[in-house]
Amino acid sequence: RRSTVSGLLCSVGGAALSTAADTLPTVGVGLALSTAALHFLPWLGTAYQSLDGGGSLGPLLTRLAVLACALPLQLCEHSTVSYASAIQRAGGSSGLAFAFLL
């Protein structure tokens, strides 16, 4: 039983390291670009304030507008993984599922 647990931990650890190696460069570039943009264009940090309509409902309306615009992107992002999984369950290859995700 102990070897099964250690094998599982090694498998999970290997998968986590592989995923980190795949995603960290992209995340790092995104963080570097956003940091550079805020450094060289400091007005971007407060640009959302110009969207406030004034009054007490201004910030709330701005947040609701951003949420309404971002919701379709979130739905698309989360549903593609389910569709890729369904492609594989229906008999499609893993390459086809991966191509769908791209």
Side-chain angles (χ1 to χ4, degrees):
R1 177 167 171 96
R2 185 169 277 244
S3 64
T4 304
V5 172
S6 64
L8 178 64
L9 289 176
C10 286
S11 174
V12 169
L17 287 176
S18 174
T19 301
D22 288 343
T23 59
L24 285 180
T26 305
V27 171
V29 168
L31 288 173
L33 288 176
S34 64
T35 301
L38 286 175
H39 178 72
F40 293 110
L41 304 168
W43 57 269
L44 285 177
T46 58
Y48 68 92
Q49 291 176 348
S50 65
L51 298 174
D52 288 344
S56 61
L57 289 179
L60 176 64
L61 292 177
T62 301
R63 289 175 189 249
L64 287 175
V66 169
L67 178 64
C69 291
L71 191 59
L73 295 174
Q74 291 294 320
L75 292 174
C76 177
E77 175 188 350
H78 293 291
S79 64
T80 54
V81 174
S82 300
Y83 283 126
S85 176
I87 288 172
Q88 283 188 311
R89 282 193 306 255
S93 67
S94 57
L96 177 63
F98 182 72
F100 177 77
L101 290 173
L102 292 178

